[in-house]
Amino acid sequence: MASSEEDGAGNHSLDEKENGKKAPRRRGAVTTAWLIFYNITMTAGWLVLAIAMARFYMEKGTYKGLYKSIQKTLKFFQTFALLEIVHCAIGVVHTSVLVTGVQVCSRIFMVWFITHSIKQIQNEESVILFLVVWTVTEITRYSFYTFNMLNHLPYFIKWARYNFFIILYPAGVVGELLTIYAALPYVKRSGMYSVRLPNKYNVSFDYYYFLLIVMVSYVPLFPQLYFHMLRQRRRVLHGEVIVEKDD
């Protein structure tokens, strides 16, 4: 789910300490330096996006055209996040490859296969909603990882990571769902990305119905991920010991 907070960018040292789990083997200096560089770069990238969005709105007095003005930067940094899947796959970060892959790819799906592909919806309020949510979330998340890896984590950053999501996560999901919903008429009318029979491969695919399935998938996924974050919040901020079943 696009609005969730995947952990392929940083480490789990803080969470594992809070959970009472055994810490993983220490990383080498090169690996640590790379992850710090990666997280600083991503923090800076999303800060640039935040500043660009604020400047556009202050200068134009409207959100119309905002997405078009920042889309290149958004596409670059969101696509760059594919490295987080690589981090998990090679063991640099101790997080599920599947979970991280789904969450990163869902963001890329929203960027490339929804807002990029269907330009008619780029000025929808829902697009601006999920952009603002993503931006605040990512600035908080990547700065959290950066300071944590430098062993100098300000309490406000820690507090923000485990509190902002309470409002931002549902708001982001609403923005994403409304954006996909706004795209449906254009997809149905154009038949984009759909494969019709007959064809030499004898297969068919309807992008319109695929998007409906994507929307329905939010129903079981959102509560699981949201309550997972709430459990993490209780552990980290309040020191509660919660026993969870291993995946």
Side-chain angles (χ1 to χ4, degrees):
M1 187 171 295
S3 290
S4 58
E5 297 190 356
E6 66 279 353
D7 291 327
N11 61 23
H12 276 185
S13 58
L14 179 62
D15 289 342
E16 285 163 348
K17 289 176 185 177
E18 298 290 346
N19 297 345
K21 295 181 180 179
K22 183 180 179 180
R25 180 167 52 88
R26 288 180 63 85
R27 299 188 183 95
V30 174
T31 300
T32 300
W34 161 252
L35 288 175
I36 291 173
F37 169 78
Y38 174 80
N39 285 293
I40 290 175
T41 301
M42 295 298 278
T43 303
W46 286 95
L47 277 171
V48 168
L49 272 170
I51 293 169
M53 287 191 290
R55 180 180 297 173
F56 181 93
Y57 187 79
M58 287 188 293
E59 290 179 354
K60 307 291 185 180
T62 179
Y63 61 85
K64 303 290 185 181
L66 187 152
Y67 181 86
K68 185 177 180 180
S69 72
I70 56 91
Q71 62 177 332
K72 290 183 180 179
T73 306
L74 172 67
K75 290 171 185 174
F76 176 81
F77 283 101
Q78 190 55 69
T79 305
F80 195 55
L82 283 170
L83 283 174
E84 296 178 22
I85 303 175
V86 178
H87 293 164
C88 297
I90 65 178
V92 169
V93 175
H94 301 274
T95 305
S96 167
V97 177
L98 178 61
V99 172
T100 301
V102 168
Q103 294 173 349
V104 172
C105 290
S106 64
R107 285 276 193 94
I108 291 174
F109 175 78
M110 286 297 301
V111 169
W112 287 102
F113 294 95
I114 301 294
T115 51
H116 168 76
S117 301
I118 309 167
K119 293 179 171 52
Q120 296 92 329
I121 66 169
Q122 290 180 358
N123 288 325
E124 293 285 334
E125 293 179 353
S126 58
V127 173
I128 307 305
L129 175 59
F130 79 69
L131 277 180
V132 171
V133 168
W134 287 10
T135 301
V136 176
T137 298
E138 297 300 62
I139 290 171
T140 304
R141 185 168 72 93
Y142 287 117
S143 60
F144 172 88
Y145 289 134
T146 300
F147 285 114
N148 192 34
M149 296 193 72
L150 293 171
N151 295 315
H152 186 68
L153 180 62
Y155 181 77
F156 173 74
I157 298 295
K158 178 181 175 180
W159 181 91
R161 170 160 167 76
Y162 290 102
N163 280 284
F164 284 2
F165 81 90
I166 295 173
I167 299 298
L168 293 178
Y169 194 2
V173 167
V174 169
E176 293 161 20
L177 286 173
L178 289 177
T179 299
I180 297 174
Y181 181 77
L184 290 175
Y186 301 102
V187 172
K188 189 172 187 178
R189 188 161 54 246
S190 67
M192 64 183 299
Y193 298 141
S194 297
V195 179
R196 308 297 186 191
L197 290 171
N199 58 69
K200 65 179 180 178
Y201 300 107
N202 198 33
V203 295
S204 65
F205 173 76
D206 196 308
Y207 190 53
Y208 175 82
Y209 289 106
F210 173 76
L211 291 183
L212 290 177
I213 293 172
V214 169
M215 293 179 71
V216 171
S217 73
Y218 276 69
V219 176
L221 290 176
F222 169 72
Q224 294 183 48
L225 295 172
Y226 189 67
F227 287 116
H228 171 70
M229 285 298 297
L230 286 174
R231 288 192 293 272
Q232 284 190 326
R233 177 179 182 272
R234 293 203 302 272
R235 286 197 203 100
V236 175
L237 297 185
H238 303 294
E240 293 186 23
V241 178
I242 301 172
V243 179
E244 294 186 28
K245 294 181 179 179
D246 293 333
D247 294 332

